[in-house]
Amino acid sequence: MLKALIAISAALTLPLAPVIVFAGALAGPQSQTQSVAATCAGWAGETPTSVELDQGQMNRAATIYATALETGVGAAGAVVGIATAMQESVLGGHPAARTPNADGDVGLFQQRSLIGWYADGTTQDENLRILADDAYQARTFYLGHTTNSGWHIPGLVDVDGWQQLTVAEAAQAVQVSAYPDAYAKHEGLARTLVTLFSGNPAGLANCGTLDADLDCAPTGMPSEKGQTPDALRVMRCIHQKWPQIKSLLGVRPGDPKDHGSGRAVDVMIPNYFSPTGIALGTEIAEWARTNATALGVTYIIWREHLWSVARADEGWRRCGQAASCYTGPDPSAAHLDHVHISVHGTQGTGTTTLGSGAVVLPVDQYRLTSRFGDTGPRWKKAHTGLDFAAPTGTPIRAVTDGTITRTGLAGAYGNLTTLTTADGTVIYYAHQSTINVTVGQRVTAGTVIGKVGATGNVTGPHLHLEVRSGGIPTDPDRWLRTRGLTP
Ligand SMILES: [Zn+2]
Ligand SMILES: [Zn+2]
């Protein structure tokens, strides 16, 4: 199986329509260029670690994605299409892409503009106009083109069993390029983008596969309490894979870093000063690194060295004097006695089915703009919730298990979803742009229930999270904190 990539460094907005709007960057000025990193551990392809795409390229990729859905080749076809267009024209960004080459090849997919090829104009100029339409090229890539003389130029759907081919093989079957291997290196980027467009960044990380024999069942350890789904899975897999590990630590309330929010695991290594202990810790650290993407790992620290997904290609880097990555005589601070593993929270596990009790934050990247109890002209009395500002389209997750009890427009709340938990607490998710669930649906913590929007009484896109107990709004920040999460 092919392993792909992933890590997106910027907040993207992900409509299903072929236009991407970069609304409301989380911090700093809005950027027209997005850096899309392809850093899946274990990805064997010649994958660049990061690709800068401008808005035009993002829009063209979105067009290829939308056209894939339209033509029925789905997300898998979209991966092939985007990888192909990346190789052929750098997603239309290559300066030469709009000028036909010696063979008359032009545009997003470098389709031939000569009479009798990919367009049915009566002159090459007319064909150039037809082929300047990116959606036309994408459609033709997928469905092929039957010329006026009745010759069918094959598209992806004409390739028998294309779903079983590698991305590079499928691309080559359509393009018949002189460089058949060139497509493979864009697979990681293509998968990243398709995952984004499908509105499921939770699936971003699932480009690796964990050991098939691991079921990562609950450990029964009290330290599972308050851990996010990703952290729980890391704990459980390690517990199962290395039974000699007797102590796994998780939440440390008040920790300003990942231990405070249930996003870290400390794997305590027995006899850490012995060669066996060092070998064991190294084995676990390497396992976490190799499976980083599938596990949702962000960084690992072991024996005064740090490895992070963001700088994966630099390998293990030696720590300095910082408290979080320290080199020095304190064995605990120097991470000699334990492997520290930080995770995203819900990215590796996606929509978690790890069982009840998990609590997760509702959005991945956000800025808190308004707290419970704030007063101001926008609210009748005091603010009844906690506001997570994030770009329109950012997925919203169920913070805990429950049943959907209401969906739809609700005055100042705009598009509202409510989720009722087993103890009768009602969680309000307001101002959504999209609602992904229906009344009566059971959801587990981490399930994407909709997307951030700006409907109702708002000044910008955000999620208004409200927690009602006995019908009375209580402080969501406190509610989350008492469950081990720090928003
Ligand atoms: Zn730690
Ligand atoms: Zn609010």
Side-chain angles (χ1 to χ4, degrees), residues 446-472:
T447 303
V448 174
I449 59 160
K451 291 179 183 173
V452 170
T455 55
N457 181 16
V458 297
T459 55
H462 72 277
L463 168 70
H464 169 97
L465 185 80
E466 195 167 306
V467 177
R468 290 192 179 212
S469 183
I472 301 177

Side-chain angles (χ1 to χ4, degrees), residues 252 259 264-266 335 338 340:
R252 277 202 299 275
H259 281 293
V265 176
D266 284 341
H335 292 84
H338 71 281
H340 170 100

Side-chain angles (χ1 to χ4, degrees), residues 1 22 24 27 84 86 89 103 112 167 211 213 229 262-263 268 295 315 320 340 344 358 369 413 451 456 462 476:
M1 162 190 177
F22 298 106
T84 302
M86 188 66 193
S89 67
D103 291 333
R112 198 151 292 184
V167 168
D211 322 27
D213 55 335
R263 292 162 191 257
M268 306 309 293
L295 290 167
H340 170 100
H344 286 284
T369 46
Y413 285 118
K451 291 179 183 173
H462 72 277

